[in-house]
Amino acid sequence: MTIDNVIVLSAGQGSRLRPLTDHCPKCMVKFQGRTLLEHQLEIYQKYGLGDVTVVCGYESSSVKADGIRKVVNEDFSTTNMVHSLFCAEEFMNGNLLIAYGDIVFKPEVVGSILEGKGDIRVVVDRCWRELWSQRMENPLADAETMKLVDGDRIKELGKKPQSYDEIEGQYIGMVLISKEVIEQVKEHYQSLDRNAQYDGKSFGNMYMTSFVQGLIDAGFDVRASFIDGGWLEFDEPGDLALQFVTAS
């Protein structure tokens, strides 16, 4: 599969990463000498991926990189990931890769989603517990459910787990939607009740996992593209000292 468009979601304030985000969003924080966005762009270029759109909000003028298109979520302070994504709806065409702006990853992470199965693919880390253990004493407290059937078909994600048995991996913040279903996915979003609650959040504050769960519940075929480490997430200053986990 080839990717026609990439949308990087980086509108939030990243308050837990202060003071590093006092004057820029998380995607412009530096890790090993380069911004998180530059790390991502290098991987996209390796694979010859299509146009890259960055959805900005907080300190949007500070988001700078060669070869990107910027879209601004003017309501960034009162909305969440899904709203940011649909601020760039006009660029949600073809085979679309969606990535959070606060992650970095090795090339094989993108390779896994390109080589995966299904019209909607979610990158799932099977070695998540090793990474979480670098960041906190109790990984279960911060983890979310990931329940699979038929090997790679996702039936539930993003809920609060009661035990590790409910976690067959962790969603890392990367989703692929194929050109075959992208219009249906947009239609599904537009059909949602603006007054409803989505996992306890308002329509504008909907999490990406809640949106993906809604697609699953609506009958879309959503598959896991598995990785075994090879990525990092940055929420707090201490995360800049994290080390990549790889399968032993």
Side-chain angles (χ1 to χ4, degrees):
M1 176 182 284
T2 58
I3 300 296
D4 301 302
N5 290 290
V6 179
I7 296 179
V8 179
L9 303 176
S10 193
Q13 298 185 48
S15 57
R16 285 191 291 164
L17 205 54
R18 293 187 189 279
L20 300 174
T21 53
D22 280 347
H23 305 291
C24 69
K26 288 200 280 187
C27 73
M28 297 305 292
V29 169
K30 288 192 174 181
F31 171 68
Q32 298 181 350
R34 291 179 295 156
T35 67
L36 305 187
L37 181 57
E38 288 171 334
H39 280 279
Q40 288 200 21
L41 292 173
E42 179 184 20
I43 305 302
Y44 302 146
Q45 290 162 2
K46 282 181 184 290
Y47 281 93
L49 302 191
D51 290 345
V52 178
T53 300
V54 180
V55 182
C56 314
Y58 171 71
E59 294 288 344
S60 60
S61 62
S62 70
V63 177
K64 299 175 182 178
D66 292 337
I68 65 168
R69 174 195 298 114
K70 289 167 59 173
V71 170
V72 178
N73 173 5
E74 301 288 356
D75 300 316
F76 69 88
S77 64
T78 57
T79 59
N80 215 308
M81 290 290 195
V82 180
H83 182 86
S84 287
L85 173 62
F86 279 86
C87 286
E89 184 172 2
E90 65 180 298
F91 305 113
M92 293 175 64
N93 302 302
N95 293 321
L96 174 66
L97 182 70
I98 303 160
Y100 292 1
D102 63 352
I103 61 174
V104 298
F105 39 84
K106 294 186 174 183
E108 51 264 35
V109 172
V110 172
S112 74
I113 207 166
L114 294 177
E115 296 164 8
K117 295 183 293 184
D119 285 325
I120 301 177
R121 307 173 191 177
V122 174
V123 178
V124 174
D125 182 13
R126 292 178 292 202
C127 289
W128 71 276
R129 194 165 173 178
E130 288 89 335
L131 177 58
W132 261 244
S133 294
Q134 291 185 48
R135 307 172 69 196
M136 61 201 71
E137 292 185 5
N138 180 12
L140 184 63
D142 188 66
E144 298 177 337
T145 60
M146 176 63 66
K147 299 180 182 179
L148 308 170
V149 293
D150 303 327
D152 66 350
R153 193 187 309 275
I154 300 174
K155 69 174 182 178
E156 181 186 295
L157 77 166
K159 306 295 191 293
K160 187 66 179 174
Q162 299 302 309
S163 72
Y164 286 107
D165 293 338
E166 297 180 289
I167 310 172
E168 298 183 67
Q170 281 293 279
Y171 164 63
I172 78 163
M174 183 178 289
V175 178
L176 182 149
I177 304 174
S178 77
K179 61 185 178 183
E180 281 76 20
V181 299
I182 188 68
E183 293 303 322
Q184 295 162 255
V185 168
K186 290 192 282 187
E187 289 170 7
H188 173 80
Y189 175 77
Q190 298 301 343
S191 74
L192 294 175
D193 183 352
R194 265 57 173 172
N195 297 313
Q197 293 283 302
Y198 299 88
D199 290 324
K201 297 293 182 179
S202 66
F203 178 78
N205 271 297
M206 189 192 314
Y207 292 134
M208 188 64 69
T209 49
S210 301
F211 182 59
V212 173
Q213 184 68 60
L215 293 172
I216 294 167
D217 295 342
F220 286 84
D221 185 20
V222 179
R223 304 290 183 112
S225 293
F226 295 111
I227 60 170
D228 296 304
W231 73 289
L232 298 172
E233 176 185 31
F234 301 91
D235 277 333
E236 300 177 353
D239 291 339
L240 293 172
L242 291 172
Q243 300 293 317
F244 283 109
V245 171
T246 55
S248 57

